[in-house]
Amino acid sequence: MKEQLLFTPGPVNMAPSVRSAIGKNDICHREVEFEILLKSIETKILKLFQLEEKSGYRAVVITGSGTAANEAILSSVVGDQHILVISNGEFGERLHAISAIHNKNTHLLEFPWGEELDLARIEAYLKGHPIDVVAMVHHETSSGMLNSLENVGAISKANGAMFIVDCVSSVGAEVINLKKCDIAFCSSSSSKALASHAGLSFVIGKTPEFEKLKDLPAKTAYLNLATFYHFLKTRSQTPNTPATPLFFALEQSLIDILEEGTLKRFASLRNKARFCGKGCCGSV
Ligand SMILES: *Cc1c(COP(=O)(O)O)cnc(C)c1O
């Protein structure tokens, strides 16, 4: 078959190393081989965020696309507290829709698609409402808008709210400083800038926040982050049958990205984006 060039934010064209890693081996996910594989993936995800092991963050991997990671966070960490979803595009709207299914105390603050978030309005909303959690999208894929996280993280912290972020299309393409932006939980997926097969997602979060999740009543069985964290912490395992071939591919894409160097890769992606912008629109 003729090779297709993909210009979408995800799926993207995969390296031959990643495409072939999927068939690496037949292993049983309840054996030590899978535990080593999951540990290797977690360590590499932390490295992607410039975090060492024991840095106070852990990452759980979920069999399911990016939406699964978003729903795992929104259904597992908020309880019945008040959550404000900030939106300036399709994926912000989706965060709101998911949260509203799980929690009637879901608020929405909307901004026009493709426009920067108005920090004064966000601050005023937080001052005027009893908000415990703030959620937003980093790279709003629908419009190509890269939202700034540091300011919203700081405003959330100043108002005593936990900050959670959908980084599905920015992980692997942008620097994300979880500590500086005071992000408690962040989601991403295997098939956008990480350039692996579709079907896996992950949640990276502060270890103390993961620890607290067991005290909240479960709202879903399959996407319960407390259960994912318990299996990771006690056995380097997943609660249910993982799509093991996809884990081999994700590990390979992380190996390739870390070998290239994250900053080098981010710069090269920016150059490509600039080049495409010029070609399509004659501007940028
Ligand atoms: C693609 C995307 C999602 C949804 O991911 P799926 O893999 O389609 O479930 C969520 N948020 C953002 C920002 C995305 O780009």
Side-chain angles (χ1 to χ4, degrees):
M1 202 163 75
K2 199 167 152 262
E3 195 192 347
Q4 303 259 10
L5 276 183
L6 299 171
F7 287 92
T8 44
V12 301
N13 286 107
M14 284 180 288
S17 58
V18 175
R19 195 173 298 133
S20 57
I22 201 166
K24 197 168 171 184
N25 210 344
D26 299 330
I27 62 168
C28 168
H29 64 273
R30 292 306 183 210
E31 300 287 352
V32 68
E33 288 85 356
F34 182 76
E35 292 165 15
I36 292 168
L37 176 62
L38 186 60
K39 188 75 219 148
S40 159
I41 290 174
E42 188 195 12
T43 307
K44 290 175 179 58
I45 289 173
L46 291 173
K47 276 208 182 115
L48 196 63
F49 285 81
Q50 274 92 38
L51 295 167
E52 294 303 318
E53 262 183 86
K54 304 211 166 50
S55 58
Y57 288 83
R58 297 291 309 254
V60 301
V61 184
I62 300 171
T63 294
S65 71
T67 307
N70 283 339
E71 188 152 14
I73 298 177
L74 291 166
S75 64
S76 305
V77 314
V78 191
D80 293 323
Q81 298 189 101
H82 285 257
I83 173 168
L84 172 66
V85 179
I86 301 167
S87 168
N88 59 350
E90 163 71 18
F91 291 102
E93 289 172 14
R94 287 198 203 175
L95 286 185
H96 175 256
I98 296 167
S99 180
I101 289 171
H102 296 285
N103 184 354
K104 64 181 186 335
N105 295 321
T106 298
H107 303 236
L108 175 65
L109 185 57
E110 280 187 290
F111 296 94
W113 283 38
E115 279 187 23
E116 271 183 41
L117 305 176
D118 179 345
L119 297 173
R121 264 185 71 200
I122 296 171
E123 184 145 37
Y125 199 95
L126 291 178
K127 295 243 178 297
H129 300 82
I131 301 298
D132 306 291
V133 181
V134 171
M136 64 178 272
V137 174
H138 184 206
H139 176 247
E140 180 46 84
T141 323
S142 56
S143 64
M145 183 82 199
L146 189 66
N147 291 316
S148 156
L149 298 179
E150 206 175 323
N151 298 333
V152 182
I155 297 175
S156 304
K157 189 178 182 184
N159 287 276
M162 174 196 275
F163 190 33
I164 60 185
V165 186
D166 168 345
C167 292
V168 170
S169 62
S170 54
V171 169
E174 298 288 338
V175 174
I176 300 165
N177 190 327
L178 295 173
K179 284 187 183 161
K180 201 161 154 198
C181 302
D182 203 48
I183 296 168
F185 292 100
C186 141
S187 58
S188 196
S189 90
S190 55
S191 62
K192 285 192 171 151
L194 291 182
S196 185
H197 290 272
L200 294 186
S201 56
F202 64 83
V203 174
I204 177 165
K206 292 179 184 171
T207 311
E209 297 298 340
F210 268 121
E211 289 284 339
K212 284 185 207 160
L213 299 181
K214 61 181 179 310
D215 301 327
L216 289 174
K219 293 187 178 186
T220 82
Y222 196 78
L223 294 175
N224 187 351
L225 268 192
T227 315
F228 274 93
Y229 177 67
H230 175 74
F231 273 76
L232 180 81
K233 182 183 156 185
T234 55
R235 298 150 62 183
S236 188
Q237 279 281 350
T238 56
N240 301 98
T241 306
T244 310
L246 300 180
F247 282 65
F248 281 129
L250 177 60
E251 185 196 37
Q252 189 59 51
S253 71
L254 290 165
I255 288 171
D256 293 352
I257 290 169
L258 293 170
E259 254 176 34
E260 181 183 353
T262 47
L263 295 181
K264 201 169 147 214
R265 175 183 168 83
F266 299 168
S268 134
L269 286 172
R270 258 176 206 271
N271 276 340
K272 283 182 186 151
R274 217 170 281 137
F275 181 77
C276 288
K278 264 191 205 150
C280 307
C281 322
S283 62
V284 185

